[in-house]
Amino acid sequence: MAPLRFSANVSWLFPELPGLPARLRAAGSSGFEAAEVGWPYEEPPEALARAAREVGLQLVLINTPPGDREKGEMGLGAVPGRQAAFRDGLEQAVLYAKALGCPRIHLMAGRVPQGADRAAVRGEMETVFLENLRHAAGVLAQGELYSWIPPGARRTLWGCWNPSTPASRTPAAAILEKVGRPNLQLQMDIFHWQIMDGNLTGNIREFLPFVGGTGPGPRGTQQPWRAELPLSVPTAGR
């Protein structure tokens, strides 16, 4: 089994430090060799790249822009009527990824629109997501970039959209099968998998072929002892 490699999500870690460049330097000084940034777009990419170089840090993941957070948006990939904004945000993410030498972009599906019934808009949101993922796969392939989609986060992010697919216990994997592009992969978000579905070891075994990387989830990225998953849980293939 390959050894685990860890990256610091500086959108969550080192909150006492002002600005992402300072957090990147702190991550490198703490022994991390890789880092993730949720939304780097308030900082010039040159400043982030310089901070990472100073401490020998590799940027490994950024998110697509969240949209209008004041209106409750948290990603646009599956939001009807926001396809143009998603594609504009994707172009911005690609520019940042290239400037940062970052090979992966998390394509955020987003939330069910405020006031909408989840069941009523499920089909439309899945159609929009598939359309946007196919577009994104083509754009990212031109830059030799990969993208991740997570299984969902309905308990920690209110209203987070997650398709309901009876044929699969992990609907995100079913979405990837429908798109069928090798540069779209599943983010194995261990924290959310556990609290939404349980059966963590079985899910890892079943869906590992789709996985491009793992993450402990937002609580694990802050304080691992607060997460629901016990540290002694066995892993598939161990």
Side-chain angles (χ1 to χ4, degrees):
M1 184 177 179
L4 293 175
R5 294 176 295 173
F6 294 93
S7 61
N9 189 328
V10 297
S11 293
W12 296 95
L13 295 175
F14 310 106
E16 71 279 5
L17 297 177
L20 293 174
R23 295 185 182 192
L24 289 171
R25 293 186 182 97
S29 299
S30 298
F32 286 98
E33 297 179 356
E36 308 170 21
V37 180
W39 297 293
Y41 307 107
E42 293 184 1
E43 302 276 0
E46 298 80 10
L48 298 175
R50 182 168 56 251
R53 282 196 306 269
E54 289 175 1
V55 290
L57 203 61
Q58 168 70 45
L59 270 295
V60 295
L61 181 68
I62 62 174
N63 295 345
T64 49
D68 191 339
R69 298 189 70 175
E70 292 186 1
K71 294 182 178 179
E73 291 182 331
M74 187 64 73
L76 301 172
V79 181
R82 297 288 275 152
Q83 290 94 320
F86 170 80
R87 295 184 181 197
D88 289 344
L90 177 65
E91 295 292 342
Q92 185 182 22
V94 168
L95 289 174
Y96 266 74
K98 290 181 177 179
L100 298 173
C102 177
R104 301 174 193 87
I105 298 173
H106 168 200
L107 302 177
M108 300 191 68
R111 290 171 166 163
V112 175
Q114 292 184 7
D117 178 76
R118 179 185 294 272
V121 299
R122 184 185 68 204
E124 183 182 9
M125 293 190 75
E126 180 170 332
T127 297
V128 170
F129 198 32
L130 288 169
E131 173 189 321
N132 281 333
L133 288 179
R134 292 186 178 109
H135 170 79
V139 171
L140 296 172
Q142 297 174 25
E144 298 183 351
L145 297 170
Y146 287 82
S147 64
W148 287 358
I149 65 171
R154 279 182 287 182
R155 258 186 55 179
T156 55
L157 292 177
W158 182 87
C160 179
W161 179 76
N162 195 29
S164 177
T165 308
S168 174
R169 286 180 290 110
T170 296
I175 290 287
L176 292 178
E177 285 184 315
K178 290 180 181 180
V179 177
R181 299 295 292 271
N183 62 340
L184 298 185
Q185 301 172 335
L186 179 66
Q187 181 179 7
M188 189 169 65
D189 187 333
I190 293 173
F191 172 71
H192 288 120
W193 249 357
Q194 171 65 13
I195 64 174
M196 290 177 63
D197 186 38
N199 189 37
L200 184 60
T201 304
N203 277 335
I204 292 173
R205 288 196 182 101
E206 183 173 355
F207 299 110
L208 193 60
F210 296 96
V211 169
T214 66
R219 299 189 183 204
T221 50
Q222 296 177 76
Q223 299 171 343
W225 56 88
R226 291 178 55 201
E228 182 172 311
L229 179 67
L231 296 180
S232 60
V233 67
T235 57
R238 185 172 177 177

